[in-house]
Amino acid sequence: MSNFINPKEVFGESFLLESKMAENLYFGYAKEMPIIDYHNHLEPDVISNNQNFRSPTAIWLDGDHYKWRAMRNFGIDEQFISGKTSDFEKFQKWAEVLPNTLRNPLFHWTHLELKNPFGIQEYLSPKNADSIYHQMDECLQMADFLPQSIIRNFKVTTLCTTDDPADDLAYHKALKNSGFETAVLPAFRPDVYINIINPEHYLSGIKKLENVCGVTIESASDLLNALQSRIHYFAYAGAKVADHGFEYFPDTTLWNQNLETEFADFLKGNTKSFSKPEALCGYLLKELCKMYHEKDWVQQFHVGATRNNNSDMLRKIGINAGYDAIGEQYFAQRMSVLLDELNSSAKLTKTIIYNLNPNYNEVLASLAGNFNEAGIKSKVQFGAAWWFLDQLDGMKKQMNTLSNIGLISTFVGMLTDSRSLLSFSRHDYFRRLLCNMFGSEMERGLLPNDEEWVGKIIQDICYNNAKNYFEF
């Protein structure tokens, strides 16, 4: 294979930069900006313990449901995906699949991850799988590839994990006390306590919350008091963000005294089920939003997913395994009712709405613009392209929608939403696309030919807006 690297290819310096102006914006303004990753699913114990990864598979393939889906699409047996075969065999199967992911974002992401931090600039295939595996494995034994070193490499100043309210946050505290220069902050994710999907599992979660709070939860009021105590606990540990994921957005107007009584009976074990889970979810969500406002937190709503579609695989390997999809539930009107009620009572905190169904991009972007406040830039944000949409086309659509209906200049930028430390390269992917979009329109005369003017907005989107919005 030739050592020549086309500067426009994924390993090249000008990847995704299709004009001289795009290159000027990227190299002059975007590339060296630090990263704030304000929503991800990284494991704080891995960061805190700061130990070498056992293998390339551990850091690259374990739990990565994006790669898992591609492998299943290619017909790879599950034993080589989530099963108990060796790490090397799993890596070999991924190398077999990757050359066939052309035009899937995984092809770009995978090779960006090889380039940074591993310095590998070869397209992975079965021919070089053995060599690349061992190159990666050698790197992972070095101090420069410990979890905290990888975070430093990507110049991450702040990252927010996603945490159960019952978590003791011991690893976050240890990181804060360790002197690690990146702020690793918890984010409050109470979904399991406000959504009754399986009554038995729900009550098991309530028991866990009771144990950590040292209380008995026998009513909705008790539950809210327990969650509020955990909000105080999270805030003391540095949290500034709450997060919610919805398959449907609940009706927040249904709760009444009869349901209050029924829910108390359910918690006490007098009934085996609760008749109106949506009403409970809506009521608890609204009250939690008021608590977030008291703390001046940012609340995040993820909408548009339908989860765990394959019940057979759910039983076999559990949730977050690559069996989710874009949903078709309509949710804007209910969200509007909640936002309006909170706003009318001066209880609406800063809010980010992430949409997974592109049919609703314009709907939600226009909804976000109804609830602004003096002194806060885009108080309610139409958030970054999420999950199935965080690829070139999806990111373009999200940013074009935001530009057309709101102000992209106030956008808080990209996040990884990932379980992998290598996914910080997606910030670079986003920044290259962002600079290319602006640079192209500058060259066409649609935007001013003023690098300093436009470059300032690029830097704001890459870093400054998030820093100011979240008040990190």
Side-chain angles (χ1 to χ4, degrees):
M1 180 182 293
S2 170
N3 291 326
F4 171 75
I5 296 174
N6 183 335
K8 297 294 185 181
E9 289 186 45
V10 67
F11 299 120
E13 284 298 300
S14 296
F15 176 57
L16 298 183
L17 306 175
E18 299 173 328
S19 68
K20 181 62 177 176
M21 193 60 69
E23 291 181 347
N24 291 349
L25 291 174
Y26 174 73
F27 292 110
Y29 297 91
K31 181 181 179 182
E32 299 303 324
M33 294 296 286
I35 287 174
I36 291 175
D37 200 64
Y38 52 87
H39 174 67
N40 59 65
H41 298 276
L42 296 175
E43 296 172 313
D45 60 325
V46 171
I47 302 172
S48 180
N49 292 334
N50 201 35
Q51 296 177 346
N52 296 98
F53 289 92
R54 70 173 190 274
S55 73
T57 300
I59 192 173
W60 218 30
L61 295 173
D62 283 3
D64 190 333
H65 53 83
Y66 289 88
K67 293 185 178 81
W68 288 7
R69 284 176 67 96
M71 294 172 80
R72 291 175 186 131
N73 275 333
F74 200 66
I76 300 298
D77 192 286
E78 192 67 28
Q79 66 174 321
F80 298 105
I81 302 172
S82 64
K84 298 186 181 301
T85 53
S86 72
D87 284 356
F88 183 60
E89 288 175 300
K90 290 178 179 178
F91 188 93
Q92 286 180 309
K93 289 298 182 181
W94 174 237
E96 179 184 332
V97 173
L98 186 58
N100 298 281
T101 64
L102 294 180
R103 303 198 79 244
N104 184 291
L106 281 165
F107 186 79
H108 287 160
W109 294 345
T110 294
H111 290 109
L112 287 174
E113 291 163 0
L114 285 177
K115 179 183 176 183
N116 188 13
F118 293 99
I120 296 170
Q121 301 190 55
E122 297 179 55
Y123 290 112
L124 177 62
S125 73
K127 295 179 181 178
N128 60 8
D130 184 87
S131 170
I132 288 181
Y133 183 90
H134 286 99
Q135 287 181 67
M136 294 176 72
D137 198 40
E138 286 180 12
C139 288
L140 290 173
Q141 309 315 310
M142 302 176 186
D144 286 347
F145 289 82
L146 292 169
Q148 293 180 18
S149 299
I150 292 172
I151 292 170
R152 287 190 195 99
N153 169 71
F154 285 105
K155 295 187 290 189
V156 182
T157 63
T158 306
L159 65 87
C160 297
T161 59
T162 304
D163 305 279
D164 188 305
D167 196 301
D168 64 7
L169 306 182
Y171 295 107
H172 294 87
K173 295 174 185 175
L175 281 161
K176 185 176 181 180
N177 294 331
S178 72
F180 181 45
E181 57 271 28
T182 300
V184 180
L185 306 179
F188 190 80
R189 179 79 175 236
D191 292 3
V192 297
Y193 304 106
I194 71 173
N195 294 313
I196 302 177
I197 298 172
N198 177 300
E200 185 177 344
H201 292 168
Y202 179 81
L203 291 174
S204 177
I206 293 294
K207 289 296 182 186
K208 182 169 68 171
L209 189 61
E210 286 180 329
N211 290 337
V212 76
C213 294
V215 299
T216 300
I217 298 174
E218 295 186 330
S219 68
S221 178
D222 290 342
L223 176 53
L224 285 169
N225 288 336
L227 290 171
Q228 184 160 46
S229 74
R230 300 310 293 169
I231 288 173
H232 293 320
Y233 184 84
F234 270 58
Y236 185 75
K240 293 178 178 288
V241 179
D243 186 56
H244 293 263
F246 300 99
E247 289 202 38
Y248 63 91
F249 200 86
D251 189 329
T252 56
T253 68
L254 299 175
W255 194 249
N256 57 46
Q257 185 57 52
N258 289 337
L259 292 175
E260 177 89 38
T261 301
E262 182 192 346
F263 182 61
D265 286 338
F266 170 64
L267 290 174
K268 294 171 186 175
N270 297 333
T271 59
K272 292 186 176 181
S273 63
F274 179 66
S275 65
K276 296 290 184 182
E278 180 188 343
L280 174 71
C281 181
Y283 169 65
L284 295 175
L285 173 64
K286 182 165 60 178
E287 296 306 309
L288 286 171
C289 289
K290 296 174 184 176
M291 298 177 195
Y292 305 151
H293 178 268
E294 291 175 2
K295 292 294 184 187
D296 197 26
W297 281 5
V298 175
Q299 61 191 11
Q300 302 179 102
F301 297 156
H302 289 79
V303 296
T306 178
R307 300 174 186 268
N308 305 315
N309 294 275
N310 188 322
S311 57
D312 183 50
M313 294 307 291
L314 176 63
R315 286 190 296 271
K316 290 179 179 177
I317 57 178
I319 63 173
N320 300 320
Y323 291 98
D324 309 307
I326 294 171
E328 57 182 358
Q329 291 271 355
Y330 180 76
F331 31 72
Q333 188 61 42
R334 289 180 174 181
M335 191 182 300
S336 178
V337 169
L338 173 62
L339 296 176
D340 184 53
E341 181 174 344
L342 294 169
N343 185 67
S344 297
S345 58
K347 296 291 185 182
L348 177 61
T349 196
K350 287 178 280 191
T351 305
I352 303 177
I353 304 167
Y354 303 97
N355 173 44
L356 194 56
N357 188 327
N359 290 328
Y360 297 127
N361 276 352
E362 286 79 4
V363 173
L364 292 175
S366 62
L367 174 61
N370 294 327
F371 302 100
N372 286 306
E373 181 179 325
I376 303 175
K377 293 180 179 179
S378 296
K379 179 178 179 178
V380 180
Q381 293 249 344
F382 178 52
W386 170 47
W387 202 346
F388 292 106
L389 304 184
D390 63 352
Q391 24 75 8
L392 294 180
D393 185 57
M395 288 190 287
K396 284 180 184 178
K397 287 177 178 176
Q398 185 270 340
M399 287 191 279
N400 283 332
T401 299
L402 179 55
S403 299
N404 289 330
I405 293 178
L407 294 178
I408 196 171
S409 62
T410 63
F411 179 33
V412 293
M414 198 56 182
L415 61 148
T416 63
D417 191 30
S418 173
R419 290 167 172 79
S420 171
L421 285 166
L422 300 180
S423 292
F424 292 119
S425 59
R426 293 184 196 174
H427 283 267
D428 186 59
Y429 196 55
F430 167 82
R431 291 174 180 186
R432 289 173 179 273
L433 172 63
L434 176 70
C435 291
N436 193 59
M437 292 174 68
F438 273 82
S440 172
E441 295 193 0
M442 290 171 73
E443 295 209 342
R444 290 159 56 200
L446 296 175
L447 296 178
N449 187 25
D450 187 324
E451 284 185 29
E452 186 175 353
W453 179 354
V454 178
K456 170 64 166 59
I457 289 176
I458 293 291
Q459 290 186 326
D460 286 345
I461 296 169
C462 290
Y463 179 79
N464 297 326
N465 289 342
K467 186 176 189 297
N468 295 329
Y469 186 79
F470 291 94
E471 301 180 30
F472 290 134

